[in-house]
Amino acid sequence: MPRPHRLRTALLRLSASLLAAGLLAACASPHYLQLSPQRSAEVPVSGSGQAVTVIAVDGRDSEVIGTRTGSAMSTATITVNAHELIPHLQREAERAVRDMGFSPTTESAPNRPSLTLTLDHLGYERGQSRPVIDEARLEAVFVAEARNGGNTYTGTYTSRRTQSYAVRPDRDTNTRMVNDLLSDGLNRAFRDPELGQLLAR
């Protein structure tokens, strides 16, 4: 019959092994971020109720925005699915156009002004590493294209964020960081007075 201290030692070793395995699995597990970015900035008003076709699209090459370890070969991927994110961007684009003084619609019509908001890039990379401290570098690029008659205005809006950490960010932290990044991108895009001015011509 095992002695009590040997049994305790065996249990402690088993617990330590399970904990280590759990931590390794957590570090290697992929993150699927469910985002809901929101514009908070005021927008310039230039419309007077005109109908504007509004479309939000995903222009990224991949739904994987990076890895938690910074290695391209890592299985700890961070993914933002287009079918979940684009409806949020569509609602925010429509809300912005409405706040500009227009009447947003998703239906196109001949000679109707239009605004297309494209998420062109969303990236999550590992930055500089220092003793005990690592960095995550995030970047988002929106492209907004306003069309009215034969005129077109295209604006590109880039948001960047660098986050230092001692403990690798969990899914909730990554969700919050990417939400903030995209919200800043929406603010940058819809603060641009040129968009509304072209739509109002």
Side-chain angles (χ1 to χ4, degrees), residues 116-128:
T116 302
L117 178 70
T118 302
L119 176 59
D120 196 58
H121 172 71
L122 182 59
Y124 185 113
E125 298 178 352
R126 187 174 181 177
Q128 295 181 348

Side-chain angles (χ1 to χ4, degrees), residues 82-96:
H83 73 272
E84 294 179 345
L85 175 60
I86 295 304
H88 288 284
L89 297 182
Q90 177 71 32
R91 284 193 289 271
E92 286 303 297
E94 290 179 19
R95 183 169 71 91

